[in-house]
Amino acid sequence: MPGKLKAKIVAGRHLPVMDRASDLTDAFVEVKFGNTTFKTDVCPKSLNPQWNSEWFKFEVDDEDLQDEPLQITVLDHDTYSANDAIGKVYIDIDPLLSCEAATVISGWFPIYDTIHGIRGEINVLVKVDLFNDLNRFRQSSCGVKFFCTTSIPKCYRVVMVHGFVEELVVNEDPEYQWIDRIRTPRASNEARQRLISLMSGELQRKIGLKVLEMGGNAVLGYLQCFDLEGESGLVVRAIGTACTLDKLSSLPTAVLPACNSPSREMKEPPFSEDPNPNIHSSGPSTPLKNQTYSFSPSKSYSRQSSSSDTDLSLTPKTGMGSGGSAGKDGGPLKTLLRQQTQSALEQREFPFFTLTCFPPGFLIHVGGVVSARSVKLLDRIHNPALGNTRSYKLLDWNSFTADEPETRDAWWEEIRQEIKSHAKALGCHAVVGYSESTSICEEVCILSASGTAAILNPKFMQEGCLDSYSEHSRLEDPAPPSCGFCHIPYDELNMPFPAHLTYCYNCRRQKVPDVLFTTIDLPVEATVMGKGSLIQARLCRLKKKAQGEVNATAISNLLPFMEYELHTQLMNKLKLRSMNALFGLRVQISVGENMLVGLASATGVYLMALPAPGGIQIAGKTPSDITYEQHISNMQKKINDTISKNKDLYEVHPQEIIEEVIGSPIPESRQRSRLFRSHSESSDEVSELDLSHGKKDAFVLEIDDTDAVEDIHSLLTDAPMPSGFYSCNTEIMPGIYNWTSSLQMFTSVRVFRLNNVNLTNQGLNKIFNDLCENLLKSLYFKLRSMVPCCLCHLNFAVAVPEEELIQVAVTAVAMTFDKEQAQENFKANMEKAIMKVISENEEQLQFPLELCTETPAPQPFSPSKGTGHQDGGGIHTSARATSVDYSSFADRCSTWIELIKLKAQAIRRGSIKTTASQEKGSPLPEGRSRSLRCMRPFPSSTVSVVKMTPLSFLPGTRIIKYLGIINMFFIRETTSLREEGGVSGFLHCFIAEVFAMVRAHVAALGGNAVVSYSMKECVFMENPNKNQAQCLINVSGDAVIFVRESEAEATAAAPQTSSMQNLSGAAEANA
Amino acid sequence: MDMSVELDVFVGNTTIMDEEVYQFWLDGYTVNDAVKVRMEGGVLEEYEASTDVLLSDTMDQFRTFQMCERLLHTPAKLANQLLFQIPPHRQTMLIERYYAFDNAFVREVLGKKLSKGTKKDLDDISAKTGITLKSCRRQFDNFKRVFKVVEELKGPLVENIQQHFLLSDKLARDYAAIVFFANNRFETGKRKLQFLSFQDFAFCAGQLISNWTVGAVGKMQQLERDTESGAVRQLLNKQAKEKHPICTNNMVEDMDVDLDKEFLQDLKDLKILINDKDLLDQHKSLVCTALRGKTKVFNEMEANFKTLSRALVNIAAKLTNTKDVRDLFIDLVEKFIEPCRSDRWTSADVRLFLTYYTNSARTLDTFRHQVTWDRYMDVIKSCILKMYHD
C-alpha cells in the first residue's frame, strides 16, 4: 500500500432543484476511487447542503494514484425511484504526488453533467499520504513533474536535457461500442470521459517511467493529443522533452532534487533487472516491455504522386529553410562542435526536443523547418485482450506482443525517422520545436510532424556536474554571438537545396541564408528590427469524395501541392512586410470529405543578421496588350504601396546605406530574393525541387499563372491591423518589451457553412481567406478597449467537421503594453529587459555575469549612427532592444573587444546612464493605482481570480511555484439545442464552463493562474434537425502561483498566497 | 451568399462586456436594432470594422447577457458563481443597471398590484411609453421579484433590499418605495396626479415608511439621539410600548411595509381640531397672528384656513379605511394643493402656513394629541411641500 488517498466532502451550493414538488433537493455524494465507493449522508431539502463528511480513506497503489481520477458524484436521493444524478467532478490527484507541487486540493468545484452542464458547486478536500516504497519493479512514476510549458520553467534550472520521450495508448471508443445503442447519452459520455481520463493518467505514468529510466525528473513541453478514430478506436498519445530540473534557490548541494527522492533512489536499478537488459544500449527512448501494442492489420495507404508503387509509404515532406555554409574562419570550430554534439546526440534514436524556447547558448545553429506527413487508412484496432467486454481494466498491455507491424507506434516511428533524415540533410543533428498532429476524416488519417533542424550545444546533453561545465565553456568555448543561430549549419559547397547565402549582417564572418523559417520562438539573443507580425497562408483544395484507398491516394496527391502553395504564400507575405524570418511556423492540413484545408501561421520578423528582403515584382507573360500592361502596373503599384505602408507599421526600415558605412562584403543580390522550395518525393534522399520559375535571383510573380493571381489576391486582401494592435503566434511579440499586467485570454470558434455546392478552388480559397480575416477583425474589435495591445500566441485550429462546414477555433491572449513608456522610457525599459534576461539566464544557467552591471546599451554596428540618420528611432532602439550578446553565455573573451567598441560608441553618443536610476522610472504605477481603485467595497466573493494564458509567463509577475499539469477532457451534449440558444448558445456556454472548471481546479490546488494553456481539441458535431449537438473539448496547461514583481521584492521571504490572490484579483478586475 | 456563419462564439477568461451594448440589451433592442444604433454611433469608423463584425460582437454580447440574466435574478450568486469571471466593479455595474428602471414605466405601475393581471397591461404601457415590451417585462419582473423577497423578510425594508439585491442606497430606496406603494396600493394614476414624478412619490414613500409604519417605531429609537425632535419621539416610543407591550423591537421591525394601525386609529382623535369650534377658532387666530405681514397671500390664507384645516384633519381621520389610504395622494392634491394653487400660493407660502399650522396646534390648551399630531403633520407637511410644484 504505497499510498493513502483521503477525501472529505464539505458542502454544496447553488444545487439545481431536483424535486419539483418542494422546489428543493435531497442531495448526497458518492466518492469513488478505483473500485471503492463511499457515500455521504443525505442532506434533505436543501440547495446548499452541508455534509461535512468524515475523511473517506482509500488505500491504493501509487500506480492507480497516477492513472485514476477521484470521482465525485452528486445525487438526489429518491425514496421511491432510482436516485437521480445531479453531476460529477473528476479530480486529477497527480499534482499531489509530487511533494514539490500542491499538498492539498481544497475548494469549490463545479458539478458537471454532460447533458445539463454545470449544476451547482461542491466543496471538497483531498489529501494524499505517500509511503516510501522501495519496490524495484514498480510501475509508477510518482514524482516526475510534467510541464506543458515549452521553455525552462521560471523557477527551475535545467541540469540536463535528456531528450525525446513518447508514448501512446489505445482503446476502443465507448461511443462506438454495441452497448452504446442501449445506454443513455449521459452514460456513454461519462464512460468516454472516464476512459480518456484513465488513459491520460496511464500515458503520463508510462512517460514518467521512461523519464526515470533516462535519469530525469521532469518532462517539459508535454504535448498530449487524442485521436478520435471512430470505429477503429481511441488513441491517446504524448510527446515531451525529458529533463533533469533543479529548483532555483534551493541549495546547490542538492545532487538529488528534492522532488525526486522517492523515485530517484531506484532510478538506476529497476530496469537493469529487466528481462531484456540489452534494450538499454539501444537508446533512451527504446520501448520497454510494456510499450508494445498490437493492432489489427491496419494498412497504410500512402502513395507517391508520381509513383506507381502502391505499397510504399508516401510521405510528402518539406524542408523549409535556406542555406549556406560555414565561413572558412568558423570552419574548424564548427566541425569540432558538431562532433561533440553529435556524439551526445547520436546515441538517441530521436534527437527531438518539444521545447520552443531555449537558454541562450543552447541553440548553436538553426537549419530550417523540417516536416513530414503521411496518409494512413484506419482500420479497427485489433485487441484480442479486449474481446467483447467493456471493462478497461481487463486490458493488460503487457500480455501481448507486437506481432502486427502496422501499429500506430510504427506509423509515428516512420514519420520521426523521416524528420530525422531531413534534419540530417540540413546538416543538423537535432530537431527543436518539434510537434506532432493528426487530422482524421472517416477512415483516412493524415499524420504530421514538424520541427526545426538545429545544431545544439552538446553540454546540455552531457552527464556531469554543471559547475565544471560553466568553467569549461568560458575557457574553451567561444560563445556564439547573437547572430550565431542564423548561421547556416550545412556545408556551403554541398548544400541540401539551392539557397542564396550572404555573409552575416551582424558578425560578417559566417554565411547566413536570405530567409529563415523555424517552428521555435525567437531566441532571446536574436537582434530584430521593428516589430513582428502574424503571417498566415490559407488554402483550400477541393477533392472528390471517395472511399478507402482511392481517397487516401487522392489526398496524398494533393498534399505536396498544398504545401508548396502555402509556402509560396508565406514567402510572399513575408516580403510584403519586408521581413526575412518566420518563427513559430505551424502548418496544419485538415482533411474533410470533399476538401482539404491548409493553414500556415507564423510570426514574421526582420532579423538584423539576415539580408534585407527585396520587393515583389510582377511580370506578365504577354506584354503586347496595353490594358494588360496597365493592369500589371496597377498591381505592382498596389504591392509597392503596401510594402512601404508595412515598413512604417512594423517599423522595419532596412538601411540601404549600410554597406557603405560598414564597408563589409555584401553579396550582389540584396535587392532580390528568391523562392526556394525543397520537395522530396522519396523517403530518404532529399531531392530538392527548384520551383522558382527558373529565375534564380528575382522574386517574380507571373500573372498569367492562375496560382499567381490567387497569390496576389490573397496578398492584397490581408487587411491591415487597426492602429494600436499587433499580433503574433509566438510567445511574445518581437519588438515589444514594456508589457503592462492586464491580459485577456480568449477562445473564439466559428463554423461556416458553404452553401454553393459548385465552388471552384478559387472561390473556396476566397471564402476561407475572408473567414480568417473576418475572424481576426472581430477579435481586434472585441479587444479594442485594450489598445495598445498585442494578440500573442494566436493559435488557429482548422477542421472540416462535415462536408460543407469549415471550423476555425482560435485561442490567444491579448496583452496590453505601455505606449507612452515605449517612447519616453524606452531605453530604460530595454535596459531592464536586458537585465532581466541576464538575471534569468544567470539563474537558469548559474553563470556569474560580472559584466552586466556595467553594460551600456549594446549597439553593435548601429547603422543609424554612422549615417547620421538620427530619426530612425525604430532601428537603433530596437536593435538595442534585443542585443543581449552579453547575456548569452558569459564569455568575456570573445565579446571583450566588442564591448569596448560599444562603450566607445555609447560614450560618443553621450547616452550612458546608470541602469539603476532608470529602473526607478519604470515600475508599473498602474498596478498600484488599480488595486487602490478596487478598495471600495464589493459584494463579498468566495471565488478567487484565476488568470489564464497560453504563454509561459505573466507580464509583471514572477511565477513562484508550479503546482502541476492541468489536463482535462469534457464532453457536452444536448437534445434541446434550440432551447439552449442554438449552436452558438450551446458552445458559448460549454466553453465558459470549461474555463470555469479549469479555474476551479487551479484555485483548489492553491494556484492563481494557468500558463501555457491550450485548447488541444474542440470537436463539434450538430444535428439541428434532431435538435441535438455534441462537443468534446480537451484543454491543458500548467497551474502556477505567481506574485507581482513589485510584491515579490517586498515580500520575497514569505509570499502569502491569499493576499496575493486578492491583489491579483483586483488588478484583473480592471483588465 | 456562398457561405453563412453557422456558429460564432467568443469567450474570454474575463467576461468582456460593453456597457453600451448592455444598455441596448436592457432596453429590449433586437440584435439588428442594436447594430443599427451602434453603426450610427460611429464605432465602425474608428475600427474599420464591417457590419458583420458589429453583428457578431452584438450577438455574442447579447448571448452573454442572456446567460448572466439567471444570475442577476439573485445578485448575491453573481459574486459566488464560477461560470463567468467578472471583476467586482463590473458585477456591481451589471446588477445596478439590470435593476434600474425607467421613470415613465414605474409611474405607470406605481401603486398597482404586481400581479399577472397587471402584466397583461404591459402591452399597453409599452405602447404608451415607447419602452419596449421586453424592457417593460424586465422592469416589472424586477419589481415583483424584489417585492416577493422582501415581503417575507424581517427587518428594515431598504436594508433588506440592499442586502439581497446588492443595490446602491439610492436604488434600494426607490425599490422600497415601489414595494411600499404596491403593498398599500396607493392611487397614483389619476389624471390629477400626473404632474407628480416617481421621485415625488418615492420621497413621500420614504416619509411614510420612516414615520407611519409599525417598523418606524423601532427605528426611531435609534434615530432619537440624532433627530431634533428627539424628545417627541421618545415620548412616542413610550406610548408605542405601552400600547404594544408584547411588541419588542424585533417583532416590530418586519412591519416596515404596513402602516401602523394603532396610529391610524389615533388619528381620529385629531377631529377635535375641527369639530370643537373654539379650538378651531383658537387655532386659526394663532396661525393668522403669526403669519400676518409675512406673506402676500395672507388674506387668502385667512379666508381659507378653516377649509384647509378641515381638509387635512378629515384626511387624517379617514385613514383607517383602506380605501381612503389609497386615496391619500389624490386627497392631498384635490383638497389642499389645488385650492392653494388656485390662490397662487408659492412654495414658501405653503411652507410657512404648514409650519405655523403644525406648531400652533401644540400650544392649544385643550388639545391633548400633540404626539399623534406631530407624527401626522411632519409627514403631511414634507409630502405636500414635495408635491407642491407644477
Side-chain angles (χ1 to χ4, degrees):
Chain A
M1 283 304 140
K4 194 185 267 179
L5 170 68
K6 299 188 291 180
K8 184 186 173 94
I9 307 297
V10 183
R13 67 181 182 194
H14 310 330
L15 294 190
V17 169
M18 296 300 281
D19 180 2
R20 286 271 152 238
S22 68
D23 264 6
L24 288 167
T25 297
D26 304 322
F28 71 101
V29 183
E30 277 183 9
V31 188
K32 189 178 172 193
F33 188 83
N35 294 319
T36 316
T37 306
F38 292 102
K39 278 183 195 177
T40 66
D41 297 332
V42 175
C43 186
K45 304 210 180 314
S46 172
L47 298 182
N48 301 293
Q50 299 286 323
W51 291 288
N52 227 338
S53 80
E54 57 185 299
W55 282 98
F56 299 124
K57 292 174 185 137
F58 303 87
E59 297 191 334
V60 281
D61 288 334
D62 47 1
E63 187 182 338
D64 287 336
L65 282 172
Q66 283 192 292
D67 289 5
E68 297 255 357
L70 180 68
Q71 188 179 322
I72 293 165
T73 313
V74 186
L75 298 112
D76 176 48
H77 176 74
D78 203 325
T79 322
Y80 305 107
S81 59
N83 299 325
D84 291 327
I86 296 171
K88 291 193 178 214
V89 180
Y90 293 96
I91 300 177
D92 179 13
I93 44 174
D94 217 45
L96 295 180
L97 303 181
S98 159
C99 48
E100 231 179 70
T103 53
V104 64
I105 296 175
S106 164
W108 289 100
F109 291 89
I111 303 168
Y112 181 73
D113 178 72
T114 59
I115 305 293
H116 293 102
I118 290 178
R119 303 171 97 190
E121 290 126 35
I122 184 166
N123 196 305
V124 182
L125 261 163
V126 186
K127 283 181 181 175
V128 171
D129 290 336
L130 267 187
F131 312 137
N132 249 359
D133 180 18
L134 298 177
N135 176 11
R136 304 184 140 197
F137 300 99
R138 62 192 219 139
Q139 292 295 303
S140 82
S141 53
C142 289
V144 174
K145 289 183 295 293
F146 286 78
F147 298 88
C148 293
T149 300
T150 57
S151 55
I152 291 156
K154 293 293 178 298
C155 42
Y156 290 94
R157 182 177 72 100
V158 63
V159 177
M160 192 175 146
V161 183
H162 300 282
F164 191 60
V165 278
E166 49 76 34
E167 184 66 274
L168 62 78
V169 293
V170 290
N171 202 0
E172 273 190 292
D173 190 338
E175 187 96 338
Y176 294 88
Q177 283 167 330
W178 67 270
I179 193 146
D180 200 54
R181 291 184 199 159
I182 53 167
R183 67 181 164 195
T184 62
R186 174 182 286 120
S188 191
N189 291 338
E190 282 173 4
R192 239 177 154 188
Q193 279 191 171
R194 187 176 136 75
L195 176 68
I196 289 186
S197 179
L198 278 170
M199 289 170 78
S200 327
E202 184 192 345
L203 190 71
Q204 216 170 305
R205 174 173 57 83
K206 287 185 167 170
I207 291 225
L209 281 172
K210 290 188 174 183
V211 173
L212 289 177
E213 183 204 347
M214 292 162 99
N217 63 4
V219 181
L220 300 184
Y222 186 65
L223 176 72
Q224 186 195 280
C225 295
F226 299 94
D227 297 331
L228 300 167
E229 296 185 349
E231 289 286 341
S232 65
L234 193 65
V235 177
V236 186
R237 57 190 165 79
I239 55 175
T241 305
C243 293
T244 303
L245 292 186
D246 200 359
K247 184 128 190 167
L248 279 178
S249 78
S250 66
L251 293 171
T253 52
V255 183
L256 301 178
C259 59
N260 211 15
S261 42
S263 48
R264 259 289 174 150
E265 291 157 50
M266 43 273 173
K267 178 193 99 189
E268 299 287 357
F271 298 109
S272 57
E273 289 170 50
D274 198 280
N276 290 333
N278 54 343
I279 263 172
H280 265 295
S281 60
S282 61
S285 61
T286 315
L288 286 166
K289 53 173 181 173
N290 60 345
Q291 203 218 345
T292 49
Y293 313 104
S294 73
F295 304 91
S296 77
S298 40
K299 291 158 243 160
S300 151
Y301 284 97
S302 19
R303 256 163 252 175
Q304 295 179 326
S305 44
S306 55
S307 163
S308 57
D309 181 359
T310 50
D311 280 329
L312 265 180
S313 162
L314 166 132
T315 327
K317 50 198 167 285
T318 322
M320 289 178 177
S322 31
S325 87
K328 271 165 198 159
D329 42 354
L333 171 71
K334 194 175 265 182
T335 322
L336 187 75
L337 257 177
R338 193 175 298 166
Q339 277 166 356
Q340 275 180 345
T341 323
Q342 265 162 1
S343 60
L345 279 163
E346 260 165 14
Q347 295 162 5
R348 287 160 227 272
E349 188 178 10
F350 297 113
F352 296 172
F353 301 86
T354 53
L355 304 180
T356 59
C357 196
F358 305 91
F362 187 89
L363 278 179
I364 293 177
H365 300 299
V366 169
V369 170
V370 283
S371 74
R373 281 177 216 282
S374 164
V375 182
K376 300 285 182 187
L377 265 188
L378 300 171
D379 217 327
R380 201 163 179 76
I381 298 173
H382 179 65
N383 273 329
L386 269 175
N388 273 332
T389 151
R390 291 166 45 211
S391 165
Y392 174 75
K393 272 289 150 183
L394 280 179
L395 248 177
D396 181 4
W397 295 112
N398 302 332
S399 68
F400 49 93
T401 50
D403 40 21
E404 290 292 337
E406 283 289 355
T407 61
R408 304 298 186 271
D409 272 326
W411 291 355
W412 286 111
E413 169 107 15
E414 186 184 291
I415 294 245
R416 289 172 194 143
Q417 286 296 353
E418 246 181 77
I419 290 279
K420 193 180 171 186
S421 69
H422 286 324
K424 221 175 222 165
L426 284 172
C428 295
H429 57 231
V431 176
V432 293
Y434 179 73
S435 66
E436 294 174 349
S437 63
T438 57
S439 169
I440 297 170
C441 176
E442 303 290 323
E443 78 280 298
V444 175
C445 175
I446 303 181
L447 310 184
S448 312
S450 73
T452 304
I455 293 183
L456 307 179
N457 191 320
K459 301 279 160 66
F460 289 88
M461 258 73 61
Q462 280 167 358
E463 197 84 56
C465 183
L466 198 76
D467 294 338
S468 65
Y469 158 49
S470 54
E471 284 190 23
H472 239 242
S473 73
R474 243 179 278 154
L475 293 175
E476 292 176 11
D477 197 10
S482 67
C483 54
F485 75 95
C486 303
H487 301 161
I488 52 162
Y490 33 80
D491 190 350
E492 189 174 13
L493 302 171
N494 187 18
M495 288 204 297
F497 43 78
H500 198 92
L501 303 177
T502 54
Y503 277 100
C504 173
Y505 276 56
N506 190 24
C507 67
R508 312 272 152 194
R509 286 198 302 240
Q510 301 194 35
K511 291 284 180 73
V512 293
D514 52 352
V515 186
L516 184 64
F517 283 15
T518 74
T519 58
I520 55 170
D521 279 320
L522 185 73
V524 278
E525 68 263 33
T527 316
V528 296
M529 181 194 290
K531 299 199 166 57
S533 160
L534 176 77
I535 293 180
Q536 280 192 328
R538 302 144 185 157
L539 188 70
C540 281
R541 278 292 170 263
L542 290 165
K543 153 185 109 53
K544 283 208 178 75
K545 266 197 255 180
Q547 299 287 312
E549 294 183 32
V550 185
N551 195 21
T553 314
I555 294 168
S556 298
N557 290 345
L558 273 172
L559 285 179
F561 293 97
M562 292 195 66
E563 296 227 31
Y564 169 68
E565 280 179 43
L566 287 171
H567 181 273
T568 311
Q569 271 190 39
L570 285 176
M571 202 60 129
N572 288 346
K573 291 189 179 183
L574 192 66
K575 304 269 175 230
L576 204 63
R577 287 166 177 79
S578 297
M579 294 173 183
N580 55 20
L582 286 181
F583 288 88
L585 177 64
R586 186 163 167 255
V587 182
Q588 286 178 79
I589 294 187
S590 298
V591 58
E593 268 184 67
N594 62 340
M595 67 173 114
L596 288 170
V597 181
L599 182 67
S601 307
T603 301
V605 295
Y606 184 96
L607 279 179
M608 294 293 277
L610 265 50
I616 297 172
Q617 194 192 327
I618 296 181
K621 267 186 183 164
T622 47
S624 50
D625 193 341
I626 295 170
T627 55
Y628 186 73
E629 288 276 277
Q630 193 116 41
H631 178 61
I632 286 179
S633 69
N634 274 346
M635 267 210 269
Q636 182 72 58
K637 191 174 173 303
K638 265 188 197 166
I639 285 179
N640 293 346
D641 286 352
T642 315
I643 290 178
S644 65
K645 250 185 241 163
N646 280 336
K647 280 184 179 175
D648 291 337
L649 182 60
Y650 301 113
E651 296 157 31
V652 176
H653 295 282
Q655 294 299 297
E656 298 299 326
I657 350 137
I658 188 164
E659 38 199 317
E660 282 104 70
V661 177
I662 312 286
S664 61
I666 301 226
E668 65 293 331
S669 64
R670 222 164 30 78
Q671 302 282 41
R672 309 176 197 133
S673 61
R674 38 164 304 287
L675 168 120
F676 91 86
R677 171 73 190 167
S678 79
H679 200 89
S680 75
E681 304 264 20
S682 69
S683 58
D684 270 45
E685 49 185 297
V686 189
S687 67
E688 300 302 333
L689 291 180
D690 182 11
L691 295 167
S692 58
H693 306 281
K695 301 194 175 190
K696 293 246 171 200
D697 294 321
F699 193 75
V700 177
L701 285 170
E702 284 188 354
I703 199 124
D704 280 353
D705 188 339
T706 39
D707 284 354
V709 171
E710 251 181 65
D711 286 343
I712 291 168
H713 174 81
S714 62
L715 272 181
L716 296 174
T717 48
D718 269 11
M721 285 175 300
S723 66
F725 271 107
Y726 291 95
S727 57
C728 62
N729 77 333
T730 45
E731 281 254 309
I732 46 152
M733 178 68 163
I736 299 178
Y737 303 91
N738 39 347
W739 302 106
T740 55
S741 57
S742 107
L743 57 93
Q744 168 72 279
M745 189 283 296
F746 59 86
T747 290
S748 183
V749 182
R750 282 191 183 186
V751 176
F752 292 78
R753 183 173 288 282
L754 307 168
N755 296 324
N756 186 349
V757 267
N758 299 318
L759 277 172
T760 57
N761 271 335
Q762 276 101 325
L764 200 58
N765 267 343
K766 185 175 177 324
I767 285 174
F768 184 48
N769 202 48
D770 289 352
L771 189 162
C772 294
E773 282 295 318
N774 288 338
L775 185 49
L776 280 170
K777 271 187 211 162
S778 272
L779 298 181
Y780 296 138
F781 183 74
K782 276 266 181 212
L783 300 159
R784 64 193 185 283
S785 65
M786 293 183 76
V787 157
C789 103
C790 179
L791 305 189
C792 294
H793 216 283
L794 259 172
N795 183 11
F796 276 63
V798 283
V800 190
E802 274 172 53
E803 204 174 308
E804 253 117 42
L805 298 181
I806 299 180
Q807 176 189 313
V808 182
V810 184
T811 297
V813 63
M815 301 206 294
T816 57
F817 59 93
D818 202 334
K819 213 173 193 175
E820 293 297 303
Q821 219 177 355
Q823 283 149 4
E824 291 164 20
N825 292 347
F826 190 82
K827 200 175 156 200
N829 272 289
M830 288 313 61
E831 303 262 347
K832 204 183 177 188
I834 292 164
M835 291 298 290
K836 219 161 100 188
V837 169
I838 290 170
S839 61
E840 269 172 22
N841 292 338
E842 186 178 12
E843 279 177 347
Q844 284 179 356
L845 294 172
Q846 278 201 339
F847 293 150
L849 279 163
E850 298 89 329
L851 277 176
C852 53
T853 46
E854 47 174 3
T855 302
Q859 196 181 5
F861 307 107
S862 166
S864 57
K865 177 79 188 77
T867 56
H869 192 301
Q870 298 290 0
D871 299 335
I875 297 159
H876 60 257
T877 46
S878 53
R880 188 208 322 256
T882 40
S883 306
V884 284
D885 314 37
Y886 305 107
S887 64
S888 68
F889 258 24
D891 188 285
R892 297 142 98 194
C893 305
S894 81
T895 48
W896 183 73
I897 294 172
E898 274 172 89
L899 180 70
I900 290 178
K901 252 195 241 170
L902 282 166
K903 259 192 177 165
Q905 271 187 343
I907 288 164
R908 260 185 287 148
R909 302 184 64 213
S911 64
I912 293 186
K913 287 178 189 169
T914 61
T915 317
S917 68
Q918 283 164 344
E919 263 183 316
K920 274 178 197 160
S922 62
L924 300 164
E926 222 165 328
R928 235 162 263 165
S929 65
R930 279 178 179 191
S931 43
L932 275 179
R933 242 200 293 156
C934 284
M935 291 310 271
R936 56 183 265 224
F938 287 117
S940 68
S941 168
T942 55
V943 184
S944 54
V945 174
V946 174
K947 293 198 172 200
M948 290 167 77
T949 176
L951 308 181
S952 62
F953 68 100
L954 292 147
T957 68
R958 180 181 296 170
I959 292 171
I960 56 164
K961 195 168 183 185
Y962 283 79
L963 298 164
I965 199 168
I966 296 283
N967 187 1
M968 296 167 102
F969 177 86
F970 298 104
I971 301 177
R972 181 86 145 80
E973 187 165 350
T974 183
T975 48
S976 52
L977 189 57
R978 271 188 297 279
E979 295 77 0
E980 289 187 38
V983 284
S984 295
F986 170 71
L987 191 63
H988 190 141
C989 187
F990 185 35
I991 294 174
E993 284 171 342
V994 169
F995 284 4
M997 287 185 278
V998 170
R999 287 192 302 255
H1001 278 80
V1002 171
L1005 287 170
N1008 56 4
V1010 188
V1011 296
S1012 299
Y1013 168 83
S1014 74
M1015 187 167 81
K1016 295 256 220 38
E1017 205 81 62
C1018 178
V1019 184
F1020 179 75
M1021 287 156 286
E1022 56 167 331
N1023 190 343
N1025 297 331
K1026 283 189 176 170
N1027 207 18
Q1028 288 175 343
Q1030 193 193 35
C1031 187
L1032 294 82
I1033 288 183
N1034 175 217
V1035 295
S1036 66
D1038 294 326
V1040 300
I1041 301 178
F1042 71 84
V1043 289
R1044 302 229 156 267
E1045 216 133 63
S1046 46
E1047 288 159 43
E1049 284 149 25
T1051 58
Q1056 282 164 359
T1057 314
S1058 58
S1059 68
M1060 166 203 63
Q1061 276 179 352
N1062 292 340
L1063 279 159
S1064 65
E1068 178 128 344
N1070 288 284
Chain B
M1 275 297 275
D2 283 339
M3 63 159 183
S4 52
V5 179
E6 180 96 357
L7 181 158
D8 177 9
V9 298
F10 176 101
V11 189
N13 184 36
T14 305
T15 308
I16 292 188
M17 291 167 174
D18 184 319
E19 289 190 35
E20 188 196 27
V21 182
Y22 186 46
Q23 198 55 53
F24 291 140
W25 179 75
L26 289 173
D27 290 343
Y29 281 59
T30 61
V31 171
N32 287 332
D33 287 348
V35 169
K36 233 177 266 167
V37 181
R38 290 183 84 188
M39 263 163 75
E40 287 156 12
V43 229
L44 282 184
E45 287 145 36
E46 275 176 69
Y47 290 92
E48 301 161 21
S50 64
T51 321
D52 290 345
V53 167
L54 214 49
L55 184 70
S56 153
D57 178 60
T58 312
M59 290 229 282
D60 211 77
Q61 298 212 40
F62 270 45
R63 205 163 43 230
T64 308
F65 299 138
Q66 224 163 329
M67 286 159 77
C68 282
E69 190 165 18
R70 187 178 51 85
L71 298 164
L72 286 165
H73 290 165
T74 41
K77 270 191 190 167
L78 197 62
N80 288 314
Q81 51 85 33
L82 303 177
L83 190 57
F84 299 104
Q85 189 157 272
I86 307 169
H89 74 283
R90 305 287 285 177
Q91 289 181 17
T92 312
M93 182 280 292
L94 283 178
I95 296 166
E96 193 78 3
R97 292 263 190 106
Y98 188 79
Y99 282 89
F101 48 79
D102 291 304
N103 281 324
F105 176 81
V106 72
R107 268 307 267 112
E108 294 296 322
V109 295
L110 193 65
K112 284 184 185 156
K113 204 174 167 187
L114 299 174
S115 66
K116 290 231 171 69
T118 316
K119 200 163 180 180
K120 275 181 200 144
D121 301 337
L122 290 180
D123 287 334
D124 301 337
I125 296 175
S126 168
K128 189 179 163 190
T129 58
I131 298 163
T132 60
L133 184 61
K134 196 172 164 263
S135 177
C136 288
R137 289 226 174 92
R138 172 182 59 85
Q139 299 182 39
F140 185 79
D141 289 344
N142 283 345
F143 295 165
K144 218 172 122 179
R145 193 175 315 112
V146 174
F147 185 87
K148 273 188 94 173
V149 168
V150 296
E151 200 181 27
E152 292 159 12
L153 290 172
K154 296 180 171 183
L157 190 56
V158 178
E159 275 170 48
N160 278 339
I161 292 172
Q162 244 177 324
Q163 206 165 26
H164 279 83
F165 293 93
L166 308 174
L167 302 178
S168 66
D169 188 62
K170 167 83 177 67
L171 196 54
R173 278 178 198 287
D174 285 351
Y175 267 92
I178 292 164
V179 168
F180 186 72
F181 267 64
N183 190 57
N184 290 291
R185 311 274 304 282
F186 288 109
E187 176 60 65
T188 64
K190 287 267 164 62
R191 200 178 47 79
K192 279 181 175 171
L193 294 178
Q194 286 311 310
F195 75 100
L196 293 171
S197 71
F198 168 71
Q199 286 309 327
D200 293 337
F201 285 118
F203 174 82
C204 297
Q207 290 296 308
L208 266 65
I209 292 168
S210 49
N211 293 298
W212 284 8
T213 58
V214 187
V217 181
K219 246 180 287 169
M220 279 166 199
Q221 284 181 316
Q222 293 159 352
L223 286 172
E224 65 200 16
R225 264 164 273 129
D226 316 324
T227 41
E228 32 186 73
S229 51
V232 180
R233 300 204 190 265
Q234 233 160 5
L235 199 68
L236 181 96
N237 285 332
K238 228 179 184 176
Q239 233 176 21
K241 274 180 189 162
E242 280 159 17
K243 278 175 189 166
H244 316 271
I246 316 146
C247 287
T248 53
N249 256 347
N250 291 344
M251 301 288 279
V252 173
E253 272 177 320
D254 61 318
M255 309 293 281
D256 238 11
V257 276
D258 292 319
L259 293 176
D260 182 356
K261 290 256 159 51
E262 300 282 344
F263 164 69
L264 297 181
Q265 202 63 44
D266 292 347
L267 286 176
K268 281 192 186 297
D269 300 339
L270 301 181
K271 279 202 118 175
I272 195 164
L273 281 175
I274 49 170
N275 288 347
D276 185 325
K277 192 155 183 315
D278 285 349
L279 215 51
L280 182 60
D281 288 337
Q282 222 179 358
H283 195 188
K284 181 182 173 182
S285 74
L286 278 171
V287 173
C288 289
T289 315
L291 286 177
R292 191 184 304 274
K294 285 184 179 151
T295 168
K296 283 178 186 166
V297 288
F298 176 74
N299 290 337
E300 287 85 346
M301 278 185 187
E302 193 172 31
N304 282 334
F305 180 85
K306 287 185 178 171
T307 328
L308 293 176
S309 183
R310 272 196 199 104
L312 291 178
V313 174
N314 276 328
I315 290 172
K318 285 197 301 176
L319 284 178
T320 40
N321 295 330
T322 325
K323 168 81 183 66
D324 291 305
V325 171
R326 288 183 194 173
D327 286 341
L328 174 68
F329 294 100
I330 189 92
D331 285 345
L332 287 177
V333 168
E334 279 180 349
K335 305 210 168 113
F336 189 90
I337 293 172
E338 283 184 348
C340 296
R341 207 186 277 154
S342 67
D343 283 343
R344 300 182 185 282
W345 292 23
T346 63
S347 276
D349 294 334
V350 176
R351 179 184 300 276
L352 204 63
F353 174 79
L354 287 174
T355 309
Y356 285 100
Y357 176 73
T358 311
N359 294 346
S360 354
R362 290 190 206 131
T363 56
L364 292 170
D365 298 335
T366 51
F367 186 59
R368 308 248 167 261
H369 307 285
Q370 275 93 350
V371 175
T372 312
W373 173 251
D374 280 345
R375 192 176 173 189
Y376 175 69
M377 277 313 293
D378 277 354
V379 171
I380 290 294
K381 184 180 134 196
S382 45
C383 287
I384 288 176
L385 288 173
K386 184 74 184 174
M387 290 159 72
Y388 198 81
H389 62 79
D390 293 329

